[in-house]
Amino acid sequence: MTDIAIKRALLSVSDKSGLAQLGASLAAQGVELVSTGGTAKALRDAGLTVRDISEITDFPEMMDGRVKTLHPMVHGGLLAVRDNAEHVAAMEAHGIGAIDLVVVNLYPFAATVAKGAERDEIIENIDIGGPSMVRSAAKNHAFVTIVTDPADYATLTTEMEAGNGATTLAFRRKMAAKAYAATAEYDAMIASWFAFADQGEMFPEKLSVPFRKGQALRYGENPHQSAALYLPAFAPGGSLADHRQVQGKELSYNNLNDADAALELVAEFRDGPPTVVIVKHANPCGVASGDDLVSAYKAALQGDSVSAFGGIIAVNRPLDGPTAEAISDIFTEVVCAPDADDAAKAVFAKKKNLRLILTGDLPNPARGGMGLRTIAGGALFQSRDNGRITRDDLKVVTKRAPSDQELTDCLFAWTVAKHVKSNAIVYAKDGSTAGIGAGQMNRRDSARIAGAKAIEAAQTYGWSEPRTKGSSVASDAFFPFADGLLAAVEAGASAVIQPGGSMRDDEVVAAADEAGLAMVFTGMRHFRH
């Protein structure tokens, strides 16, 4: 038997949206409604006839509603195999009535945590009876229909209308799969809260990480790969989890990966002056701060206009019309901003393929959290790189101390280098990147590549000299040899910021002194692989 007529439904929901309409539809098809507490009241308030669960169990709801559905009269009606003679006999012997439909959604645990509730309130919002009913109904989906999402109410109604009050096995199987995913996510959220928030564990023995599908993507890193965006239960504000795509083609895996890289970097300047980040293949190719976004964008673009073609742009202010006009001069894949004014939206509306993403805010760069990367046969977890350096943390190690402007540029370059793939070298001058070298197998080559980019930019824009002349240079990790530093000297850098800690620090410092450079150590590195 595949089609099962629904004669009795048990409804117990935390989210009351769509409940009255569903109850009315079920009642119109002659379904007996059984319910609990607030759900029963909501149905009665809608003018529907409802039986209390206590009438079925012959036992009152008690302990502030903690005990109401955990009863053989309920679970026997859910778990009985209807074509098993022994099960049918047991139902008859104990007066257990069949329950054909269960509509349940669970206590709002995640919302309770998100609002900053006290521990006792969080514990009270751990649902027990709901998941038990969901699992029982889903297990017995051959005979029982389980619905856990209000978004499926209309589909259930249509299914029953088409089947003269019955549901098909295919529908019940689909709803059962969705139900188990819902309880798995719910349990994972609770386990995660206990481990990370309540117990303060960074790496618990068993790790449950609940993710929910946000959207399907155009494709993965390459068109022959498929991809989807999944979001955690407790996503940070201002992140791509909150994004709203205003216009443009569907997003691909690469679009979101690059957009995240741009957003994380521009967030470092959330409290700073107007700043623009241009990213290509997850590496920044131009970063600049200015008096306004349009001047910052032009300075960032001049850092590497070749790489900027087809790039991703992120800004730390609401996007305005003049900046949108400037961006529109070259091909850009995605623009991320906290918001955008009507003038900016109108400019981009002419660029049908350009994706405009609004996040409402920027993520907190100092937030905690975990990073995940899969490897063959497993996964690597680590805490986020939220290390931060201030002027007070810096140690001058050369004979010459950096000037105030050199120090400002050092910290700017250091902030950018944190977001560049290792080995990372970043030259900066007057709040703009002058050259970026990324992802090389040795630090010397990164320094040379960044210098070459600066020379090319000077030739492109007709400058008398590259912006690396008199710049500050940041290295994401220590210089293992003096050759990388000497490449920076050749590029014209006058100040250096690096972690220090090499066996050859003395050799590197001596080379800096000989060249008249100022150098500071941070004591912290920022590898990014």
Side-chain angles (χ1 to χ4, degrees):
M1 186 177 185
T2 59
D3 290 1
I4 300 294
I6 294 177
K7 299 177 181 178
R8 175 187 279 180
L10 173 55
L11 301 91
S12 181
V13 296
S14 173
D15 180 357
K16 305 296 192 296
S17 60
L19 175 65
Q21 295 90 333
L22 175 63
S25 176
L26 294 173
Q29 296 189 63
V31 178
E32 179 187 23
L33 305 182
V34 180
S35 191
T36 63
T39 305
K41 180 180 183 303
L43 290 167
R44 289 193 180 101
D45 289 347
L48 299 170
T49 300
V50 185
R51 291 185 68 187
D52 287 319
I53 194 70
S54 57
E55 295 181 47
I56 304 297
T57 63
D58 195 27
F59 213 87
E61 294 186 26
M62 60 169 51
M63 301 178 183
D64 298 319
R66 282 189 170 201
V67 179
K68 51 192 174 187
T69 60
L70 298 169
H71 195 282
M73 297 298 287
V74 174
H75 287 274
L78 295 176
L79 287 166
V81 177
R82 311 292 172 79
D83 57 5
N84 182 308
E86 290 184 4
H87 286 207
V88 173
M91 292 176 73
E92 293 175 351
H94 298 286
I96 298 173
I99 300 173
D100 309 304
L101 168 66
V102 175
V103 180
V104 169
N105 53 65
L106 309 177
Y107 293 171
F109 179 82
T112 304
V113 172
K115 74 177 185 179
E118 296 294 327
R119 188 179 191 278
D120 286 350
E121 184 180 353
I122 291 172
I123 297 299
E124 281 306 308
N125 276 277
I126 297 176
D127 204 331
I128 302 301
S132 299
M133 287 190 292
V134 169
R135 293 176 64 83
S136 292
K139 176 177 180 176
N140 203 28
H141 64 270
F143 304 98
V144 181
T145 303
I146 173 66
V147 176
T148 56
D149 185 350
D152 292 321
Y153 291 172
T155 307
L156 169 65
T157 299
T158 301
E159 176 87 359
M160 291 178 62
E161 289 173 348
N164 295 317
T167 60
T168 62
L169 178 59
F171 178 78
R172 295 193 300 276
R173 289 175 64 176
K174 182 178 180 179
M175 291 297 101
K178 190 167 183 176
Y180 277 119
T183 57
E185 178 189 46
Y186 194 75
D187 285 341
M189 287 190 294
I190 295 169
S192 294
W193 177 82
F194 266 110
F196 298 120
D198 192 57
Q199 299 299 308
E201 296 182 77
M202 180 170 288
F203 301 107
E205 188 68 26
K206 293 185 178 180
L207 183 64
S208 300
V209 183
F211 281 89
R212 179 173 294 191
K213 185 177 178 180
Q215 66 186 92
L217 303 177
R218 291 180 68 213
Y219 50 78
E221 284 188 280
N222 300 289
H224 66 273
Q225 295 173 269
S226 54
L229 169 65
Y230 280 81
L231 306 174
F234 306 110
S239 67
L240 287 175
D242 297 328
H243 85 266
R244 177 169 66 90
Q245 184 173 348
V246 176
Q247 68 160 68
K249 294 188 295 186
E250 291 180 73
L251 293 162
S252 71
Y253 177 100
N254 291 338
N255 293 150
L256 279 172
N257 189 54
D258 289 352
D260 181 65
L263 193 63
E264 289 283 15
L265 175 47
V266 85
E268 300 276 4
F269 300 92
R270 60 184 293 179
D271 299 320
T275 301
V276 175
V277 170
I278 307 175
V279 161
K280 189 69 170 291
H281 292 185
N283 272 310
C285 57
V287 183
S289 297
D291 294 332
D292 50 46
L293 282 182
V294 69
S295 61
Y297 169 72
K298 291 176 180 178
L301 178 64
Q302 289 170 346
D304 187 353
S305 59
V306 174
S307 299
F309 184 85
I312 310 290
I313 296 173
V315 299
N316 69 342
R317 295 283 192 280
L319 191 68
D320 55 65
T323 306
E325 288 280 5
I327 290 172
S328 295
D329 286 342
I330 67 168
F331 170 56
T332 300
E333 290 273 9
V334 180
V335 177
C336 297
D339 204 348
D341 64 21
D342 290 341
K345 292 177 183 177
V347 170
F348 284 161
K350 303 172 187 175
K351 301 283 186 177
K352 299 300 183 183
N353 290 332
L354 184 149
R355 294 93 159 173
L356 175 59
I357 292 177
L358 304 182
T359 59
D361 197 357
L362 293 175
N364 180 3
R367 72 187 185 278
M370 303 293 289
L372 162 67
R373 175 171 295 180
T374 58
I375 59 173
L380 298 173
F381 282 79
Q382 66 171 344
S383 59
R384 285 189 71 255
D385 182 3
N386 58 2
R388 304 176 74 75
I389 292 295
T390 66
R391 291 193 180 210
D392 293 339
D393 299 313
L394 301 177
K395 178 184 177 182
V396 178
V397 294
T398 48
K399 294 175 182 177
R400 184 173 75 81
S403 68
D404 186 67
Q405 183 59 51
E406 286 175 328
L407 203 53
T408 297
D409 287 335
C410 275
L411 288 169
F412 181 91
W414 177 255
T415 300
V416 175
K418 173 183 174 183
H419 295 265
V420 177
K421 297 293 181 69
S422 296
N423 290 309
I425 293 290
V426 176
Y427 297 95
K429 185 177 182 180
D430 298 329
S432 301
T433 53
I436 298 174
Q440 298 306 302
M441 286 67 75
N442 68 74
R443 203 159 297 280
R444 181 202 63 187
D445 286 354
S446 289
R448 287 176 173 174
I449 289 171
K453 287 179 178 291
I455 292 172
E456 184 177 24
Q459 294 170 345
T460 299
Y461 294 100
W463 301 333
S464 60
E465 61 182 15
R467 292 196 302 195
T468 49
K469 297 295 183 181
S471 67
S472 295
V473 61
S475 175
D476 64 340
F478 61 64
F479 287 100
F481 303 97
D483 57 356
L485 177 76
L486 294 175
V489 171
E490 290 175 9
S494 64
V496 182
I497 183 170
Q498 60 133 322
S502 168
M503 294 176 61
R504 295 181 174 84
D505 273 349
D506 290 344
E507 175 185 328
V508 174
V509 171
D513 281 332
E514 185 175 349
L517 269 65
M519 181 183 290
V520 293
F521 282 1
T522 65
M524 176 186 292
R525 80 176 189 195
H526 284 303
F527 272 160
R528 186 177 181 88
H529 290 102

